[in-house]
Amino acid sequence: MAIKVTMPRLSDTMTEGTVATWLKKVGDKISEGDILAEIETDKATMEFESFNEGTLLHIGIQAGETAPVDSLLAIIGNEGEDISALLAGGDAPAAETPKADAAPAAEAKSEETKTEAPAPAAKAATELPKGVVVVTMPRLSDTMTEGTVATWLKKEGDAVAEGDILAEIETDKATMEFESFNAGTLLYIGIQEGNTAPVDSLLAIIGPAGTDISGIADNYTAGGTATASAPATEEKAAPAAEKATEAVADTSSNGGRILASPLAKKIASDKGIQLTQVKGSGENGRIVKSDIENFTPAAQGQPAANATAAAPKAETAAPAAPKVFVPAGEVFTEEIKNSQMRKIIAKRLAESLFTAPHYNLVIEVSMDDAMAARATINTVPDTKVSFNDMVIKACALALKKHPKINSQWKEDAIIINHHVNIGVAVAVEDGLVVPVLKFTDAMSLSQIGASVRDLAGRAKNKKLGPQEMEGSTFTVSNLGMFGITEFNSIINQPNSAILSVGAIVEKPVVKNGQIVVGNTMMLSLACDHRTIDGATGAQFLQTLKQYIESPVTMLA
């Protein structure tokens, strides 16, 4: 008997998913546990496996298309089985969790349009002109309730290809690029640069050039017309599709933006592969996971050279910002509008400082042996370890010995985290972000160093994903590179503590009763007194001091 496979809910905040690539095609034999497709959620790109056996009889959501959770993803059954009743909206057992309340209209899908739509939106969708898609303010993080359009990279009337960056959007955690899942012409911009709007507000309208969209913006209600990443149907005008294909080809061949799934980007980054060197096998040349896994350096060709040649031009194209003229002898002020990130930083830190009873513990650490150890480690080819990396590693090991530091406060309980995820504070142009090193205690010094450099670099280039800034259990903030010898930080909640790291200072110290020249560093631990008592914090600092002053003990 044929079984419907629906779009799975792969995260607690997921409301829709995008099929990045299909790993099976219609007619293929499916075994239980086979990977059917790679699905992009609101947090990551994940492999989706089959819980059923049979033949893949129908694909309901094509690669690159987006659909709500529980939409018809595929049908699996016996070879040659009649599935016309299922396609017409008939009942069948769901492949995963059965949804007794799912409306048949939400699963109905015509062979001509290959478009899934939830039942509440079905009527509204038919009211839109042919090929027109309403793009809404996306939810780019689990805590995001509104977003600010920092910059539009397209203007009304511009051709938009699938995968093109439409705008840069400020969330409560970072400024992120928002790409289009649809091809066509940008017919309308609903939120101007600098303006803030709630999630699901009308962001833009995309469709065939010249389409009459009068009344759509005025009559739009959040969630009632279309979804933020709803794919354009296959009924869209042919000229628009042709232009979109041409646009994709142009961006790839001229060293511009390369289409790639998030999973492919992550694997390429981990392996140090330039995406410009990889030829995509997905739709419209999109680079998928298999392209990265099968890539060999010998495949490097002319596109990489073109990209290298184009890079200096791109750098010189941006003019330097003019300096503000300050009249001599006159009162002069400048007003800078608060970014969404700055507003959220102010709100969160104020909440932390005024709700958590902070206290600080300070300890001085000798760095002589750490400096010698670092110099030795960095003699290994292709290895670069910083003092901050050593502090992070020492913190991870100390947290395993003192799990009460690795905790968070709740009104009815204290949560002790037995996994160690260390957040590293990174200063960016608009404020401060905290990318997270997951399972830091299991990482080597060189892995920590490479990960911190990668995360910090992408944070400053606004390429950091929201999932990479979530889940920290402890935070490290280092201002030593600015010559700051000692400072106190505000706790990054829901963490219970944050470590402030100062600069290494050469000064007279007493060793074995003699005054000698030594190198020391100040560490300040801010603790939440609701979860961490003074003695507990002091014991943690003693263990941390031991690891840093004698790095070899980190190997024990």
Side-chain angles (χ1 to χ4, degrees):
M1 180 178 179
I3 294 176
K4 284 184 176 181
V5 181
T6 58
M7 174 65 75
R9 187 184 301 275
L10 298 174
S11 78
D12 55 348
T13 57
M14 177 180 171
T15 58
E16 61 184 13
T18 300
V19 177
T21 183
W22 278 100
L23 303 180
K24 299 289 185 180
K25 61 182 184 294
V26 173
D28 283 357
K29 297 292 184 183
I30 307 296
S31 298
E32 185 176 347
D34 282 356
I35 302 301
L36 290 178
E38 292 174 354
I39 296 178
E40 298 178 7
T41 74
D42 57 337
K43 294 184 177 180
T45 298
M46 306 174 67
E47 293 180 338
F48 175 56
E49 68 179 53
S50 174
F51 294 93
N52 307 278
E53 294 184 350
T55 299
L56 183 57
L57 303 176
H58 176 74
I59 289 178
I61 305 171
Q62 300 299 321
E65 291 185 353
T66 301
V69 168
D70 295 333
S71 299
L72 177 61
L73 180 66
I75 297 176
I76 296 175
N78 298 324
E79 187 173 359
E81 187 174 352
D82 182 13
I83 59 172
S84 57
L86 296 182
L87 294 175
D91 293 330
E96 294 184 82
T97 307
K99 303 290 183 181
D101 298 331
E107 295 172 344
K109 178 180 184 296
S110 66
E111 286 292 334
E112 293 79 12
T113 61
K114 298 188 184 295
T115 303
E116 291 295 330
K123 181 179 178 181
T126 61
E127 297 173 357
L128 290 175
K130 188 176 181 179
V132 171
V133 175
V134 173
V135 181
T136 59
M137 175 65 74
R139 186 185 302 275
L140 297 175
S141 78
D142 56 343
T143 57
M144 177 179 172
T145 57
E146 61 182 15
T148 301
V149 177
T151 307
W152 276 102
L153 302 180
K154 298 286 185 180
K155 60 182 183 293
E156 289 185 7
D158 283 357
V160 177
E162 183 183 345
D164 280 357
I165 302 299
L166 288 178
E168 291 182 348
I169 295 177
E170 295 179 5
T171 74
D172 58 337
K173 295 184 176 179
T175 300
M176 304 175 64
E177 293 178 340
F178 175 56
E179 68 179 54
S180 174
F181 291 94
N182 309 280
T185 299
L186 183 56
L187 303 174
Y188 176 79
I189 289 177
I191 305 172
Q192 300 300 320
E193 287 187 4
N195 290 349
T196 301
V199 168
D200 293 334
S201 299
L202 175 61
L203 180 65
I205 298 176
I206 296 175
T211 303
D212 181 14
I213 59 168
S214 58
I216 294 179
D218 294 337
N219 297 327
Y220 177 80
T221 56
T225 303
T227 56
S229 53
T233 69
E234 292 185 4
E235 291 181 337
K236 72 181 91 173
E242 291 172 4
K243 290 179 181 177
T245 304
E246 292 171 4
V248 172
D250 290 342
T251 55
S252 299
S253 60
N254 294 329
R257 186 179 182 278
I258 304 298
L259 292 181
S261 71
L263 182 60
K265 292 177 184 177
K266 184 179 187 306
I267 296 174
S269 175
D270 293 343
K271 293 186 175 183
I273 296 174
Q274 296 277 344
L275 290 177
T276 52
Q277 301 173 6
V278 183
K279 183 177 180 181
S281 61
E283 185 178 4
N284 291 331
R286 185 183 182 90
I287 298 172
V288 295
K289 175 185 174 184
S290 58
D291 298 325
I292 302 297
E293 292 178 336
N294 298 329
F295 173 78
T296 56
Q300 182 175 349
Q302 190 62 32
N306 290 343
T308 305
K313 296 179 183 178
E315 292 174 2
T316 57
K323 292 184 178 180
V324 176
F325 173 72
V326 181
E330 294 185 17
V331 176
F332 184 83
T333 61
E334 180 184 7
E335 184 174 295
I336 300 175
K337 186 176 180 180
N338 289 329
S339 66
Q340 188 72 2
M341 180 188 291
R342 178 54 61 188
K343 291 177 184 177
I344 296 299
I345 289 174
K347 179 181 177 183
R348 296 274 172 82
L349 293 183
E351 288 175 353
S352 177
L353 186 61
F354 297 129
T355 60
H358 285 53
Y359 69 92
N360 292 278
L361 301 173
V362 180
I363 195 168
E364 188 173 30
V365 178
S366 172
M367 294 298 290
D368 292 329
D369 288 348
M371 294 172 72
R374 175 177 177 264
T376 302
I377 292 170
N378 285 345
T379 59
V380 178
D382 302 322
T383 301
K384 185 179 180 182
V385 171
S386 69
F387 291 114
N388 197 53
D389 302 333
M390 299 177 76
V391 171
I392 291 171
K393 178 65 175 179
C395 284
L397 297 177
L399 288 170
K400 295 296 287 185
K401 288 193 173 183
H402 303 277
K404 287 185 179 180
I405 306 295
N406 204 39
S407 62
Q408 64 187 77
W409 169 263
K410 288 192 173 182
E411 289 300 326
D412 56 346
I414 294 176
I415 307 299
I416 304 295
N417 297 300
H418 292 285
H419 61 283
V420 177
N421 292 345
I422 293 184
V424 183
V426 176
V428 296
E429 183 179 356
D430 296 327
L432 187 73
V433 296
V434 186
V436 180
L437 299 176
K438 303 292 176 67
F439 308 108
T440 320
D441 55 309
M443 301 173 73
S444 67
L445 279 172
S446 56
Q447 288 174 326
I448 291 173
S451 297
V452 170
R453 287 193 298 274
D454 172 58
L455 291 169
R458 288 192 289 119
K460 292 176 180 177
N461 292 326
K462 301 178 181 179
K463 303 291 186 183
L464 210 58
Q467 71 278 4
E468 295 175 298
M469 295 181 281
E470 298 170 354
S472 68
T473 60
F474 184 83
T475 306
V476 173
S477 178
N478 190 337
L479 292 178
M481 67 285 293
F482 299 107
I484 304 300
T485 55
E486 183 180 344
F487 67 103
N488 297 324
S489 299
I490 298 175
I491 297 170
N492 177 35
Q493 290 193 355
N495 298 174
S496 287
I498 181 171
L499 184 73
S500 305
V501 183
I504 298 175
V505 178
E506 187 178 41
K507 68 175 188 179
V509 297
V510 178
K511 288 187 178 180
N512 301 320
Q514 301 293 322
I515 298 177
V516 297
V517 176
N519 295 277
T520 65
M521 180 174 70
M522 301 299 294
L523 301 176
S524 177
L525 182 70
C527 301
D528 183 342
H529 218 322
R530 296 174 300 179
T531 53
I532 303 173
D533 294 327
T536 305
Q539 291 166 1
F540 169 80
L541 283 179
Q542 286 180 335
T543 302
L544 183 62
K545 175 183 173 77
Q546 174 190 337
Y547 281 134
I548 295 175
E549 289 189 339
S550 183
V552 69
T553 59
M554 288 192 269
L555 301 175

